[in-house]
Amino acid sequence: MSGFKKTALITGIAGQDGGYLAEFLIKKGYNVHGLVRWDSYMNPADGMARLAMLGLTDAALTLHQGDVTDAQSVTQLLKEVRPQEIYNLAAMSQVGVSFKTPAATLDINTKGTLAILDSIRLLDMERSVRMYQASSSEMFGSAPAPQDENTPFMPCSPYGVAKLASYWLARTYRDAYGIHVSNGILFNHESPARGEDFVTRKITKAVASIEAGSREVLRLGNLDSIRDWGHARDYVEGMWLMLQQERPDDYVLATGQAYSVREFVERAFEQIGIQVAWSGTGVEETGRDKRTGRLLVSVDPAFFRPKDVNHLLGNARKAQDALNWLPKYYFDDLVADMVNADRMLLWREAGGDAVWKMTG
Ligand code: GDP
């Protein structure tokens, strides 16, 4: 079957992972179709700009406007595109926001998955399509670290609960109807394309602008929270590997290393030559420039969550053994990549591109 081009459909293509996955699949020679919600078109800062940042234009992709919660439109789209692989990345992805909009979170993060699974059945595509379901380490919630595929789930947020419902829907449809659907239980994965409401990007953006002369103070919530942070670029490859297996299964993807939010702050400021000295506790805690004493970080209870997941640390042994998956980026590389990208972004915004073109 040489010359046969596989077709992939990515829901949530305008998100961080959607962009990296599209880039990855295009390089592999796939026809890539993406489902985009109306507000990703309307709000270029958060959607299409991300695809453009990765060098992906409409010409490289076929984009479809729609919504995963609209079951009929999902069925119609599958009928039209006839993909061999579906990656369900569409979600309300912010854990903090899920406490403010729990019903919408359940709707999007659960009904969307169901719409795809049911469409596969309705269209008799059980044998012709493979599906990836974006499950999350947030499903582990307060389960003790380290977590792997056998750790009991104890979600702590509407987001975690909704993702867990989708995880079980995928397993149920796999067992009941023989659908080739795999859950990727991904620990936090970040990148320069991460949304600015996530703590890592919020930190790296502030660090870059402080270096550029901003007097801002970085206001954060829970500094003690510990996460296993990897790079989205590595994780999208893991998603694809799961669908290349003969049998569907569920896999944890993680780096196996965990750091606190406080450590992320320290490492990010180190990138611009600043050492952070901490003092005080709880809401009184502050981080100052060790050399000058300037206030850099303070705690703002507005960023506390009603309930937080304190310690996520993944064990990706199964993915390593079965998929031969290993991350290329670890904590230091990730922080450096993100700070440097935010520095570059500021430089471009300040007209650096024009200067570079003239001199370079
Ligand atoms: P999550 O793990 O998917 O919830 O990713 P986030 O980046 O949103 O949050 C990671 C951790 O950082 C959580 O435990 C948050 O409570 C904590 N955190 C501390 N300060 C902040 C903040 O200002 N914004 C966000 N989003 N999280 C923060």
Side-chain angles (χ1 to χ4, degrees), residues 77-99:
L77 183 64
L78 257 60
K79 200 172 160 188
E80 207 179 298
V81 174
R82 294 263 157 200
Q84 282 78 48
E85 295 177 9
I86 302 173
Y87 296 86
N88 183 32
L89 312 184
M92 202 303 287
S93 61
Q94 291 169 38
V95 176
V97 175
S98 80
F99 284 97

Side-chain angles (χ1 to χ4, degrees), residues 93 95-96 138 188 190 194 197-200 202 219-223 225 227 229 261 303 305 308-309 312:
S93 61
V95 176
E138 197 68 18
N188 293 52
E190 320 289 313
R194 188 62 145 151
D197 288 337
F198 289 87
V199 77
T200 52
K202 183 172 165 183
R219 293 180 204 289
L220 296 172
N222 182 2
L223 296 171
S225 186
R227 289 288 183 274
W229 277 298
V261 170
F303 298 108
R305 294 173 183 175
D308 206 354
V309 170
L312 291 177

